Amino acid sequence: MADPSTYRPSAGSIPDAPGVYRFRDASGRVIYVGKAKNLRARLSSYFQDLVGLHPRTQSMVTTAAKVDWTVVSTEVEALQLEYSWIKEYDPRFNVKYRDDKSYPWLAITLNEDYPRVMVGRGAKKKGVKYFGPYSHAWAIRETVDLLLRVFPMRSCSKGVFNRHRQIGRPCLLGYIGKCAAPCTGNVSQEEHTQIVDDFVAFLSGQTTTYVRRLEKEMKAAAALMEYERAAKIRDDLQALDKALAKNQVVFGDGTDADVIALAEDPLEVAVQIFYVRAGRIRGQRGWIADKADGTATTGDLVERFIQQTYAGETGDTIPREILVPAIPEDVDALTEWLSGLRGSRVAIRVPQRGDKKGLMETVHANAQQTLVMHKTKRASDLTTRNQALEEIQDALDLPEAPLRMECYDISNLQGTEVVASMVVFEDGLPRKSEYRKFVIKGVDGQNDVASIAEVLTRRFKRLLDDRAATAAANEAEDDPTANLIDPETGRARKFAYAPALVVVDGGPPQVAAARQVMEELGVGDIPVCGLAKRLEEVWLPDTEDPVIMSRTSEGLYLLQRLRDEAHRFAITHHRSRRSKTMVESVLDDVQGLGDVRRKTLMRHFGSLKKLRQATIEEVAELPGFGRRTAESVVAAVNSAATKADTGRAPSVNTATGEILDDDAPQVAGALSGDPNGEDN
């Protein structure tokens, strides 16, 4: 535990200007990022008597060993820089809002020639129009199913679309009128684009205009005695009425707003947001966060939530109005930043009366319910993670809690395509940006022990080389933080941090190999252990008996998550390598196809299955390919498929009864060569 007075900046050295500051620990890792209108006033508040600080702030300042800052010109610049640093360093003591579930989106792929409507989850992509998020995927699918009667746009995957384009026959949706079948030329690209535009306009809230248009068309058809057409339009109107009924009207004036409410306790905060577009509730989403900074007010929490939620958004995805429970301290800077992202004025307000205040109360009730459910499901994530790390420290007799753990796993198919994975958990959470894949080069056949030795040799040689190079460049070998910063980019080196614990997937042989390699490289002071799958035993070097942790132990649960994530990541890498090898072997016989064009094919199609579905025209469009070469490629993959299928029964997943494709994922045991699905 550090004494804040040992690193307190000297009097007068802190400027009284706006800026962003960073607290670092003894290893140079950033543990907290903050901004201030006046750096001198804000930083001075951290170095008062510890008794007067909030317990979490006490923990932060006693964990830190250094503070630095950057002066900026305006508060908006401070806001942007603070968000950039939080995103880059992921500091332990900053508030991080985590989704309480993965919410589904309704997405329309406007970046394709024939846009597709689909329901998906995860990060947004460029060129795709999103609606939502929504609470339940089934509710969106029901709505889409209703709307496809009226707006028969494409909803199939790229593979299905290309297959029916080749055979010249629409799929079932085309026959029942829920797709205009652009794959068969039933409608032109321009006509399909018009259908998509109408669909997007309807979902965006422009419902009245379209409904009135349909009513006029229905009456005109009836007047002309085109009763079948009039009946179809009537059915379409009924479908639209059903779809509209699913969205509650809350504002009659067509308000566009996001309504944000918080429910807090001393440790955590739950956030709920309702998306209101054209006066209707279009979506809902929730987050849970640890209140790592105990001094944060409701306004501070709102500000950080708005930063995290709207950063990277542009245009009308940011509403004209954001209703919040408390106004942030830097509301002017926040408003200016949001207005710049949207391209027009954005207002941040606290509703005082009327329908908006009533909706805010509803959203707040949802936030309170979310917090109660989270509490009853499990104890605070921060508390649970700390407990898990402490249990691992005690069980393995470590000098400190393992805040950074690295786990290694090997995957192969009967000794071929041997690969390894490295996954990183920091503070008990996955750090996916620091995962790494390895291709084993110096080991022949199936030898997990030798493969573990090779991977750890490469990883820790990189650590030592980076440290030596950076220390020499900075001429600061005595500075503990010198080896953590890349002198060319100024960014933190991701692998200059030594792990507090190395975990290998396996038992005593793998652990012994790991310990020997690390001692030979001079990093034998880093603890290492192995986790064997069969009995979930934890093995330490030079011990005859394993460490047995309680089955209900949070520490064992964390080690299992770490091991399983390494196993998943290794198998994913192995499947990718195997698929590419299959493509290469098929293309070996194509005359005139060199390494450059073979790599172009692999980059574009990715797997043998997708290459088999490609047409000659699609292959010929690739750079460096002509029609003759494309014909040779398509002929080669089709010939290989015919030979492989002759006299062979289809592969079946015995667990689900599903018929597998050629490059469908196999079970873990088949990949690892272990009938029990184990790699060790």
Side-chain angles (χ1 to χ4, degrees):
M1 181 179 291
D3 181 357
S5 63
T6 61
Y7 64 90
R8 178 173 184 167
S10 58
S13 63
I14 308 176
D16 55 354
V20 183
Y21 54 92
R22 296 175 291 190
F23 281 88
R24 300 176 181 268
D25 62 14
S27 299
R29 185 176 311 180
V30 176
I31 61 172
Y32 184 76
V33 173
K35 65 172 176 57
K37 293 181 180 178
N38 186 316
L39 284 170
R40 180 179 299 172
R42 177 63 58 84
L43 287 177
S44 297
S45 68
Y46 289 102
F47 296 99
Q48 57 180 285
D49 188 355
L50 288 177
V51 177
L53 296 176
H54 188 280
R56 287 176 179 266
T57 308
Q58 287 182 21
S59 178
M60 189 272 288
V61 297
T62 54
T63 302
K66 181 181 179 182
V67 61
D68 56 36
W69 57 84
T70 298
V71 175
V72 296
S73 303
T74 65
E75 294 174 35
V76 176
E77 288 184 21
L79 194 73
Q80 293 171 332
L81 182 59
E82 180 193 32
Y83 173 75
S84 298
W85 279 357
I86 290 175
K87 187 175 181 181
E88 178 179 350
Y89 296 111
D90 191 19
R92 183 185 182 195
F93 287 94
N94 278 91
V95 175
K96 305 180 191 71
Y97 291 98
R98 308 178 305 279
D99 283 354
D100 57 357
K101 62 178 79 172
S102 177
Y103 283 83
W105 302 90
L106 178 60
I108 299 176
T109 57
L110 298 178
N111 54 357
E112 297 184 2
D113 293 336
Y114 295 93
R116 169 195 179 194
V117 59
M118 60 182 180
V119 178
R121 302 173 189 265
K124 294 182 178 180
K125 298 178 181 178
K126 285 186 177 181
V128 179
K129 179 74 173 178
Y130 290 93
F131 295 93
Y134 301 91
S135 300
H136 303 287
W138 58 264
I140 315 174
R141 292 192 176 95
E142 281 187 2
T143 302
V144 171
D145 189 59
L146 288 169
L147 292 178
L148 286 178
R149 287 179 52 92
V150 188
F151 310 101
M153 65 176 291
R154 173 192 160 209
S155 59
C156 60
S157 66
K158 186 176 181 180
V160 172
F161 184 84
N162 289 336
R163 182 161 63 249
H164 284 277
R165 173 183 272 181
Q166 289 177 354
I167 64 179
R169 194 169 62 244
C171 64
L172 177 62
L173 292 177
Y175 282 114
I176 65 176
K178 290 189 176 181
C179 180
C183 55
T184 61
N186 217 23
V187 293
S188 66
Q189 184 174 344
E190 291 74 19
E191 290 171 328
H192 186 264
T193 300
Q194 184 59 52
I195 294 173
V196 174
D197 290 343
D198 289 341
F199 189 91
V200 171
F202 187 85
L203 288 176
S204 299
Q206 301 172 26
T207 57
T208 305
T209 303
Y210 193 78
V211 169
R212 286 176 180 170
R213 192 174 85 192
L214 284 182
E215 288 174 344
K216 287 182 180 178
E217 290 180 7
M218 181 181 67
K219 292 176 181 178
L224 295 172
M225 292 187 289
E226 297 177 357
Y227 298 118
E228 290 186 5
R229 181 164 176 266
K232 182 184 181 305
I233 297 175
R234 177 203 63 200
D235 294 342
D236 290 347
L237 284 169
Q238 291 175 351
L240 292 180
D241 286 340
K242 280 187 180 180
L244 289 171
K246 292 178 180 293
N247 294 117
Q248 176 188 2
V249 178
V250 290
F251 301 127
D253 58 355
T255 297
D256 285 349
D258 285 354
V259 187
I260 300 169
L262 283 70
E264 304 176 54
D265 68 9
L267 293 176
E268 292 181 302
V269 55
V271 183
Q272 283 283 315
I273 179 171
F274 278 25
Y275 302 92
V276 180
R277 298 294 182 270
R280 296 177 181 269
I281 297 175
R282 297 292 183 180
Q284 171 192 3
R285 198 173 184 183
W287 286 261
I288 297 287
D290 299 322
K291 293 175 69 174
D293 182 1
T295 62
T297 64
T298 301
D300 294 334
L301 295 172
V302 167
E303 178 182 320
R304 293 168 191 176
F305 175 76
I306 289 176
Q307 271 185 282
Q308 178 176 317
T309 303
Y310 296 108
E313 302 287 353
T314 56
D316 58 5
T317 54
I318 301 173
R320 288 191 290 264
E321 190 175 23
I322 300 175
L323 304 179
V324 297
I327 294 294
E329 180 183 354
D330 298 330
V331 65
D332 293 337
L334 203 59
T335 300
E336 185 179 343
W337 175 63
L338 290 171
S339 300
L341 294 177
R342 176 180 166 85
S344 61
R345 184 68 179 170
V346 175
I348 300 175
R349 298 194 307 106
V350 177
Q352 301 295 332
R353 63 183 69 85
D355 292 339
K356 292 181 179 179
K357 182 173 176 58
L359 182 58
M360 173 65 76
E361 292 171 353
T362 301
V363 181
H364 182 255
N366 277 265
Q368 286 182 316
Q369 182 66 18
T370 299
L371 186 60
V372 170
M373 291 177 63
H374 174 71
K375 289 291 187 183
T376 54
K377 251 193 280 185
R378 197 171 184 181
S380 157
D381 279 352
L382 180 62
T383 304
T384 304
R385 294 201 310 270
N386 285 343
Q387 178 186 343
L389 294 173
E390 289 173 2
E391 288 180 2
I392 294 173
Q393 179 184 359
D394 294 340
L396 305 186
D397 196 22
L398 303 178
E400 58 183 16
L403 293 182
R404 179 184 173 103
M405 297 187 290
E406 297 178 359
C407 185
Y408 299 84
D409 185 31
I410 308 297
S411 184
N412 64 82
L413 178 64
Q414 296 179 346
T416 63
E417 295 293 345
V418 185
V419 299
S421 67
M422 165 187 163
V423 302
V424 179
F425 274 33
E426 288 195 353
D427 202 19
L429 296 173
R431 194 67 175 266
K432 294 191 176 183
S433 62
E434 301 198 9
Y435 287 13
R436 288 296 180 270
K437 306 170 183 175
F438 299 85
V439 177
I440 303 302
K441 303 174 181 178
V443 179
D444 294 326
Q446 186 172 349
N447 188 335
D448 284 2
V449 173
S451 299
I452 283 286
E454 178 180 327
V455 171
L456 289 177
T457 299
R458 289 160 61 181
R459 188 269 182 266
F460 286 106
K461 274 190 175 179
R462 172 68 181 274
L463 169 71
L464 298 174
D465 291 346
D466 280 355
R467 285 185 171 182
T470 311
N474 289 306
E475 297 180 354
E477 292 85 345
D478 57 339
D479 182 355
T481 67
N483 56 13
L484 302 176
I485 305 299
D486 189 324
E488 296 181 0
T489 65
R491 294 178 179 270
R493 290 183 183 273
K494 290 185 177 179
F495 291 99
Y497 298 121
L501 177 65
V502 170
V503 181
V504 295
D505 182 16
Q510 287 84 355
V511 174
R515 168 54 64 208
Q516 181 179 350
V517 165
M518 294 167 69
E519 287 181 346
E520 290 174 354
L521 292 173
V523 290
D525 57 326
I526 299 176
V528 61
C529 73
L531 184 61
K533 285 190 184 71
R534 195 172 303 278
L535 298 176
E536 302 295 6
E537 301 165 331
V538 181
W539 289 92
L540 297 175
D542 305 322
T543 58
E544 295 183 0
D545 299 313
V547 175
I548 305 297
M549 300 180 70
S550 169
R551 289 287 176 171
T552 60
S553 163
E554 290 292 342
L556 179 60
Y557 175 69
L558 179 56
L559 289 175
Q560 288 171 332
R561 283 183 56 215
L562 180 64
R563 187 269 319 280
D564 292 344
E565 179 70 352
H567 188 65
R568 179 200 65 80
F569 197 54
I571 284 182
T572 302
H573 185 204
H574 177 87
R575 287 173 179 160
S576 174
R577 294 275 305 174
R578 187 160 58 97
S579 178
K580 290 179 180 178
T581 301
M582 291 172 68
V583 176
E584 289 177 340
S585 63
V586 169
L587 298 178
D588 282 343
D589 297 331
V590 179
Q591 188 174 1
L593 192 68
D595 289 339
V596 174
R597 287 194 284 186
R598 186 180 293 129
K599 289 178 180 177
T600 300
L601 281 171
M602 291 170 59
R603 277 196 304 269
H604 185 78
F605 294 104
S607 72
L608 186 58
K609 178 181 177 181
K610 291 181 180 178
L611 183 56
R612 283 175 181 166
Q613 293 174 349
T615 62
I616 293 174
E617 289 73 18
E618 288 175 332
V619 176
E621 288 175 358
L622 297 178
F625 284 80
R627 184 170 182 83
R628 182 175 299 177
T629 305
E631 290 173 350
S632 300
V633 169
V634 172
V637 295
N638 289 336
S639 174
T642 302
K643 291 178 182 178
D645 291 337
T646 302
R648 186 191 69 179
S651 300
V652 178
N653 185 327
T654 56
T656 64
E658 177 188 7
I659 297 177
L660 301 176
D661 293 320
D662 292 337
D663 57 353
Q666 306 297 316
V667 296
L671 286 175
S672 63
D674 187 329
N676 296 318
E678 300 179 1
D679 283 345
N680 51 336

